[in-house]
Amino acid sequence: LQEKLIITCIMKLETRSKLMKFFEGIEKLFNLMFNSNPYLRPVILRWAGRVWSILPIFWAFAEIFYPHVSPEAEITTIEQISLVLLYICVGGLILAWVKERAGVLITLGSLVLFVIVFFSMGFDLDAWIFIVGLGVPAVLFFAAWRMETKQKEAEQMAEAV
C-alpha cells in the first residue's frame, strides 16, 4: 500500500513537473514576443500565421477531393461564386507564406467579397468559421510584414544620419 502511494505521488509530481514546463515554455514565448529582441516579433507573428493557415489549406484540399455536397445536388451560381472566393482566400494564404503583402491583399480582399456574397444569399452567421479561419492568419501575416517594413525603414533612417 505504501509503495502504491509513493508511486502515485511520484507520478503526480511528474505530471505537475510536465505541466510546469509547458507553462514555462508559454511564458518564455510571451517574453520573446513582448519583452525581447524586436526583430523576433515579426518572425513569431509570421510563424503563427503559417501555423494557423495550415487548417484552412487542408480544408480546401479536402473539399476538392471529398466535397461536402453530393454530386447530384444542385449548386447555385452564387454558391459557386462564394466557394471560388474561399479558394482564392486560401490561395492568398499560400502566397502569404512567400510574399506576405500580396497574399494578405488577396486573402482579405476576397474574404470581404465572400462576406458580401455569402450574406447576400440570406444566410446567417454560419460563415464566421471561414471568416475567422481565413482572416486571422491574414492579419498575422500583415502585422509581421508591417513590423518588418517599419524596422527596415528605421534602419535606413539610422544609416542616413
Side-chain angles (χ1 to χ4, degrees):
L1 182 65
Q2 284 181 340
E3 290 175 6
K4 288 182 181 180
L5 184 61
I6 291 172
I7 291 172
T8 305
C9 288
I10 290 172
M11 292 181 74
K12 285 183 180 181
L13 286 174
E14 287 177 0
T15 304
R16 286 183 186 160
S17 174
K18 289 177 184 176
L19 282 173
M20 290 302 293
K21 287 180 183 178
F22 173 75
F23 287 117
E24 286 172 4
I26 290 176
E27 182 181 3
K28 286 179 184 178
L29 178 66
F30 278 110
N31 285 335
L32 276 175
M33 184 67 187
F34 298 110
N35 299 330
S36 70
N37 188 347
Y39 292 102
L40 283 177
R41 292 178 188 156
V43 173
I44 293 170
L45 286 174
R46 185 177 300 114
W47 276 100
R50 288 176 178 173
V51 168
W52 190 301
S53 67
I54 290 173
L55 185 63
I57 292 168
F58 278 135
W59 168 83
F61 284 113
E63 189 65 28
I64 290 171
F65 296 113
Y66 303 103
H68 72 283
V69 180
S70 66
E72 298 85 29
E74 285 189 36
I75 300 176
T76 64
T77 305
I78 201 144
E79 289 172 339
Q80 290 176 345
I81 291 171
S82 66
L83 196 58
V84 166
L85 288 171
L86 282 177
Y87 284 120
I88 292 172
C89 286
V90 171
L93 286 180
I94 293 170
L95 180 63
W97 278 59
V98 181
K99 299 283 185 183
E100 290 165 350
R101 184 177 180 190
V104 165
L105 291 175
I106 290 170
T107 300
L108 291 180
S110 56
L111 191 59
V112 167
L113 290 174
F114 167 76
V115 169
I116 292 169
V117 167
F118 197 78
F119 290 127
S120 72
M121 292 189 298
F123 288 102
D124 294 327
L125 282 174
D126 295 335
W128 69 270
I129 195 161
F130 296 114
I131 297 166
V132 170
L134 295 167
V136 170
V139 170
L140 291 172
F141 281 124
F142 177 77
W145 168 78
R146 189 68 188 134
M147 276 184 187
E148 200 168 61
T149 304
K150 282 186 175 182
Q151 288 173 355
K152 287 179 183 176
E153 289 172 358
E155 286 176 4
Q156 289 175 352
M157 295 286 282
E159 288 176 5
V161 173

